[in-house]
Structures are given as structure tokens and as C-alpha cells.
């Protein structure tokens, strides 16, 4: 078999066989197929697409390219969750302890990734001493004893995807539905859960800007999951404005803790309940959404979800005291209100721009070796639909550098659009695919 022929077949619009896909993934992972041929194939796939069978075969080949977690030592149905990512998305910090407190074991592998704020593992590292680089044995042991463990993704999980994703990133071939779906699902399948709930974000702060594309991606991922023998549900949720109010690592952890205390933002809590319910249903702990929600409300009311979160932090070497007193978290040097220069209803918030403010302040990573400042970010005080008078506080910005603060402030103010009338009502949950 020759890589040249595989590229030509796809360029001509033919479907690739399982053997061709396996040949490519194996050769590329081993370094026997050069980047220039892999890029040519990615571009051919970008233009010609892949059918359902090819997408599944690519996913499985990437899943099999490295270590696969064997979670059979964990009792019960293991349910994982994944989000395609968005601004202010701290859902995993709330949903995973809620679900674990209801008795469904959660072992979650989280990517670090590039982005406006850190990933889930970066947010957890806001707790002094929290170790996300635990061994697979510790991970399994913690799921069995605590009911919950979250670890960083190891380099051995789906290494083919790691290499290919980096290549796609610099060759303008990321935004192809089949490539995104197979990339995400290869990692999820290798991480070993029996069932997967996926949060597909839609809107200005998401990968997928339109509902049509978001539903298509959701369908593609659910199909792969089901074809690979896993139960899979996707929820499409709104990312046209930041989720909740806080954007930035410690600020988001605080908001997650508020939510576990039953005092979280409404949109965010609704999303957590929706996800938690799906995870309980797939995990066999609830018959239907109503029963699931009752259980989830109970673990919030009796604080067992909050206590489960503290147990997670402690079990992974972290100082859990801030879970019960968030004032113990370190703070940024500059904490200042940003006042509105305009008046009217907030019609739109350019979500990605808010994420970029956090990045500018040092709260995210542009390059993979960048060090995150966990204290910086912003807490919104006005969201879409709110009426704002000139001089009202739009957000509180947290920074450690005056120049960065000024740059982020300018960007922040430009991200808000106002109008004379209130915009139509929007819902956080846009749809479901199963
Ligand atoms: N996230 C991934 O892991 N892969 C993609 O291709 C896109 C987003």
C-alpha cells in the first residue's frame, strides 16, 4: 500500500477502506508517513468529506493508536462527559461531584488544551497541591473509593489524534465535521467509559457558530459512540454569551462552588441539571429526567455534592479548605469595576471576545507551554437582556498587570452591543441528539 494512492483516492472523492485508514494512522503515528503527505490527506478529506463508515474507522484507528484505559476494575456503569468548549464553561466542576454523590462512578480524563481559560485540570490546579498527573492505578482507585477522579490526559491516549490535531491546527483543516467528531471520540473511547454525554456548544463563543452545524456535529459523534458500542447522548447548548458570570480559573472555581452551595447562576445550574440527569439515566441511577432531577436537587440541598467535590480535591493531594471558604483562594492585585459608557438593553455579547479578555489578562494559553495565572479574569454583572444605564457596572475585572488590564478593558467594552428594545428570550438548552 502506498500513501500516494490513499491521497489520490480521497482527492478523487473515493471512500477510503479500513485497511487504507489503518495503514495511514499506523504509519503516521510511527513517524513513517511525513507531515506533508498527512496534510495533503487532511486537505483532501476537508474537501471531499468522509462517510459514516470511514469516520468510524478513523476514530477506531486513532483510539487504538495508544493506551486504552481498562476501567473494568471500577464497579458500576462508568459515565464520562465531554464539552466542545466555551467561555466560562466550568460545568464539569459541578456535574461530576453531583453525579458521583448520586452513586454513579465518574472517572474523567480532561485535556489541558489551548484557550481563553484553562481546561478543567487547570481549574482544579487552583487548589494548592492538586495533582492531575496521577497514575492510572490511582485514578481507578480514587473512582472506586471516592466515586470521582479527574486526571489530565496522558500522552499515551490516542497519540495519532494528538499528532494529527496539531497538524490540522496549522494547515486550516480543523473545521471538518468528520475530523472533529473522530478526534474527540477517539480520545473518549480510549478513556474507557461505558456511556458518554457530550455538550456541543453553539453560538459566537463556540467552535460551531450555527445550530445547524452543531446538530450535525452532535449527530456525527453520537453515531460514532453508538457504532463503537457505547451509549451516547449529545446536548446542544447555547454559547452565544459566556456561561454563568465568571470567566477565569479561580473565579470559575468559585462560581462552581457557589453552584454546589445552591447559589449558582440560573443558566449554568440548568445546564448542570440537564447534564447530570443524562448521566444518571445512562448510569442506571434514574428512570427518567424527573427522577434524576430530584436526586440532583437532593445532593445540592444536603451538601453531599459539595462534600464530594472536597473529597475529590483532598484525594488528589489538594488543599480542600477553599471549598468551604472561597476567600482562602489567592486574589489578583488589581480588582476593578468596568463601567458602561452606553445605555440600553444588552442585545449581544461577543462571547469569544470575552474569552480573549481573559486570555489577554493571562488566564489562558496561546502556546502549549504558557503558564496560566489562575487569579485573573472577569466576573460579568450584566448579561444579554439586562437594561444598563451609563455608569452601571458591566463587570469586575481581575488583573495583575496594568497594561494588560487596559488592553482587556478596551476589548471588553467593545464586546457589548446595546439596543432600545430587549432581545427575544433564549434558552441555555438548544436541543438533544440520542
Ligand atoms: N477538539 C478536539 O479534540 N479535536 C478537534 O478536532 C476539535 C476540537
Amino acid at each position: 500500500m502506498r500513501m500516494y494512492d490513499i491521497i489520490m483516492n480521497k482527492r478523487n472523492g473515493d471512500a477510503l477502506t479500513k485497511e487504507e485508514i489503518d495503514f495511514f494512522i499506523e504509519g503516521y503515528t510511527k513517524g513513517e508517513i511525513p507531515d506533508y503527505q498527512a496534510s495533503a490527506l487532511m486537505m483532501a478529506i476537508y474537501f471531499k468529506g468522509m462517510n459514516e463508515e470511514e469516520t468510524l474507522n478513523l476514530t477506531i484507528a486513532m483510539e487504538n493508536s495508544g493506551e486504552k484505559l481498562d476501567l473494568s476494575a471500577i464497579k458500576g456503569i462508568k459515565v464520562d462527559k465531554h464539552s466542545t468548549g466555551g467561555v466560562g464553561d466550568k460545568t464539569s466542576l459541578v456535574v461530576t461531584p453531583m453525579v458521583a454523590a448520586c452513586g454513579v462512578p465518574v472517572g474523567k480524563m480532561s485535556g489541558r488544551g489551548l484557550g481563553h481559560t484553562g481546561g478543567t485540570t487547570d481549574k482544579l490546579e487552583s487548589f494548592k497541591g492538586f495533582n492531575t498527573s496521577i497514575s492510572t492505578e490511582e485514578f481507578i482507585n480514587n473512582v472506586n473509593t471516592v466515586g470521582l477522579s479527574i486526571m489530565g490526559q496522558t500522552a499515551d491516549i490516542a497519540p495519532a489524534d494528538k499528532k494529527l490535531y496539531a497538524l490540522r491546527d496549522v494547515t486550516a483543516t480543523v473545521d471538518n465535521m468528520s475530523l472533529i467528531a473522530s478526534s474527540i471520540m477517539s480520545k473518549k473511547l480510549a478513556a474507557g467509559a461505558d456511556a458518554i454525554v457530550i455538550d456541543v456548544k453553539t453560538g459566537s463563543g463556540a467552535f460551531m457558530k450555527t445550530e445547524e452545524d452543531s446538530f450535525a456535529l452532535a449527530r456525527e459523534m453520537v453515531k460514532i459512540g453508538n457504532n463503537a458500542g457505547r451509549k451516547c447522548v449529545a446536548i446542544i447548548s447555547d454559547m452565544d454569551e459566556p456561561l454563568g458570570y465568571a470567566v477565569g480559573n479561580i473565579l470559575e472555581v468559585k462560581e462552581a462552588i457557589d453552584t454546589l452551595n445552591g447559589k449558582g447562576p440560573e443558566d449554568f445550574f440548568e445546564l448542570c441539571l440537564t447534564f447530570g440527569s443524562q448521566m444518571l439515566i445512562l448510569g442506571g441511577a434514574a428512570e427518567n429526567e424527573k427522577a434524576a432531577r430530584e436526586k440532583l436537587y437532593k445532593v445540592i440541598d444536603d451538601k453531599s455534592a459539595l462534600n464530594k467535590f472536597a473529597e475529590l480535591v483532598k484525594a488528589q493531594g489538594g488543599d480542600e479548605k477553599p471549598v468551604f471558604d472561597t476567600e482562602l483562594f489567592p486574589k489578583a492585585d488589581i480588582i476593578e469595576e468596568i463601567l458602561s459608557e452606553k445605555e440600553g438593553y444588552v442585545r449581544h455579547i461577543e462571547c469569544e471576545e470575552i474569552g480573549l479578555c481573559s486570555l489577554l489578562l493571562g488566564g489562558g494559553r496561546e502556546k502549549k507551554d504558557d503558564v496560566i495565572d489562575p487569579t485573573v479574569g472577569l466576573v460579568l454583572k450584566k448579561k444579554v437582556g439586562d437594561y444598563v444605564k451609563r455608569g452601571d457596572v458591566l463587570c469586575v475585572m481581575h488583573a495583575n498587570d496594568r497594561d494588560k488590564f487596559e488592553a482587556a478593558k478596551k476589548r471588553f467594552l467593545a464586546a457589548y452591543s446595546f439596543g432600545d428594545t430587549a432581545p427575544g428570550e433564549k434558552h441555555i438548552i438548544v436541543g438533544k441528539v440520542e
Side-chain angles (χ1 to χ4, degrees):
M1 204 173 287
R2 292 192 316 154
M3 190 57 199
Y4 178 91
D5 298 320
I6 297 175
I7 298 168
M8 191 174 63
N9 289 347
K10 186 41 79 184
R11 187 204 67 189
N12 293 345
D14 295 338
L16 300 178
T17 64
K18 181 176 182 323
E19 289 69 32
E20 286 174 320
I21 289 173
D22 288 347
F23 174 86
F24 162 60
I25 290 299
E26 211 186 308
Y28 188 56
T29 312
K30 284 188 187 151
E32 291 164 3
I33 292 169
D35 278 347
Y36 54 81
Q37 285 189 309
S39 337
L41 181 63
M42 290 301 107
M43 194 55 87
I45 290 174
Y46 182 89
F47 281 115
K48 299 292 178 175
M50 285 197 298
N51 65 29
E52 194 175 315
E53 195 180 339
E54 290 174 284
T55 308
L56 177 66
N57 286 334
L58 178 62
T59 311
I60 304 289
M62 293 199 293
E63 175 199 355
N64 290 337
S65 66
E67 186 194 2
K68 292 205 282 182
L69 284 199
D70 176 5
L71 301 185
S72 57
I74 299 172
K75 301 173 273 293
I77 303 174
K78 279 77 67 184
V79 189
D80 197 355
K81 103 163 246 303
H82 179 81
S83 163
T84 58
V87 180
D89 188 4
K90 67 286 288 178
T91 316
S92 292
L93 300 178
V94 175
V95 170
T96 57
M98 281 200 319
V99 169
C102 291
V104 172
V106 183
K108 181 166 166 49
M109 222 182 229
S110 268
R112 210 166 275 279
L114 303 173
H116 315 124
T117 58
T120 301
T121 47
D122 297 296
K123 288 172 198 167
L124 286 168
E125 284 170 1
S126 303
F127 292 97
K128 206 161 137 235
F130 194 102
N131 184 9
T132 55
S133 309
I134 52 176
S135 67
T136 311
E137 290 71 34
E138 281 175 273
F139 177 71
I140 290 175
N141 184 46
N142 285 356
V143 181
N144 269 331
T145 51
V146 177
L148 171 61
S149 187
I150 299 179
M151 73 184 281
Q153 191 171 299
T154 69
D156 302 336
I157 292 282
D161 171 66
K162 196 166 187 217
K163 220 175 149 186
L164 257 191
Y165 191 16
L167 183 77
R168 287 166 53 219
D169 214 15
V170 292
T171 54
T173 50
V174 167
D175 51 340
N176 170 275
M177 212 70 83
S178 299
L179 291 177
I180 295 175
S182 56
S183 163
I184 293 174
M185 292 305 286
S186 66
K187 291 173 279 213
K188 288 285 117 185
L189 297 179
D194 304 306
I196 305 157
V197 184
I198 309 160
D199 186 1
V200 180
K201 303 284 189 196
T202 190
S204 69
F207 237 125
M208 296 289 146
K209 309 285 181 212
T210 68
E211 287 187 15
E212 193 188 347
D213 283 351
S214 308
F215 273 94
L217 179 63
R219 279 192 292 271
E220 193 108 29
M221 288 199 278
V222 169
K223 233 182 310 170
I224 294 174
N226 291 338
N227 285 338
R230 316 288 171 94
K231 289 193 259 180
C232 208
V233 173
I235 303 289
I236 294 91
S237 71
D238 183 68
M239 191 31 77
D240 227 15
E241 62 177 335
L243 185 57
Y245 294 97
V247 181
N249 295 276
I250 285 179
L251 301 172
E252 291 187 38
V253 173
K254 283 183 175 178
E255 189 163 78
I257 292 170
D258 287 346
T259 308
L260 287 167
N261 272 310
K263 295 177 193 141
E266 219 175 286
D267 60 343
F268 176 53
F269 189 48
E270 175 54 29
L271 187 70
C272 294
L273 287 173
T274 305
F275 270 92
S277 302
Q278 293 306 318
M279 290 175 79
L280 291 189
I281 294 167
L282 290 181
E287 289 263 302
N288 52 40
E289 176 118 15
K290 182 168 177 287
R293 281 184 176 241
E294 273 167 23
K295 285 193 172 194
L296 294 168
Y297 274 119
K298 184 164 180 300
V299 295
I300 292 293
D301 289 345
D302 68 12
K303 298 275 189 273
S304 49
L306 182 78
N307 291 330
K308 188 59 74 185
F309 188 52
E311 270 184 74
L312 162 79
V313 174
K314 190 164 180 217
Q316 291 189 217
D319 173 11
E320 81 280 20
K321 286 191 282 304
V323 173
F324 303 107
D325 179 4
T326 56
E327 284 301 306
L328 295 172
F329 278 121
K331 291 187 182 67
D333 292 339
I334 305 165
I335 302 178
E336 284 180 21
E337 294 174 337
I338 309 283
L339 307 183
S340 181
E341 294 166 354
K342 295 185 179 152
E343 184 150 341
Y345 287 98
V346 180
R347 298 279 314 187
H348 180 67
I349 302 174
E350 202 47 57
C351 195
E352 210 149 342
E353 284 296 306
I354 303 296
L356 285 171
C357 291
S358 160
L359 187 65
L360 272 179
L361 293 167
R365 267 188 207 95
E366 268 176 287
K367 298 188 294 314
K368 74 179 186 330
D369 299 327
D370 287 351
V371 176
I372 281 180
D373 181 345
T375 61
V376 301
L378 40 107
V379 180
L380 304 183
K381 296 293 170 189
K382 298 287 181 191
K383 291 190 64 177
V384 173
D386 289 338
Y387 190 77
V388 175
K389 293 208 279 300
R390 206 164 280 119
D392 278 355
V393 180
L394 283 182
C395 87
V396 178
M397 198 169 269
H398 297 237
N400 282 316
D401 178 299
R402 184 50 70 183
D403 290 343
K404 288 181 183 171
F405 174 90
E406 292 302 334
K409 176 180 172 180
K410 196 162 165 228
R411 203 142 189 164
F412 174 82
L413 286 170
Y416 272 64
S417 329
F418 299 90
D420 293 338
T421 53
E425 209 188 329
K426 277 192 100 170
H427 297 284
I428 186 78
I429 305 299
V430 178
K432 178 175 167 187
V433 171
E434 55 189 333

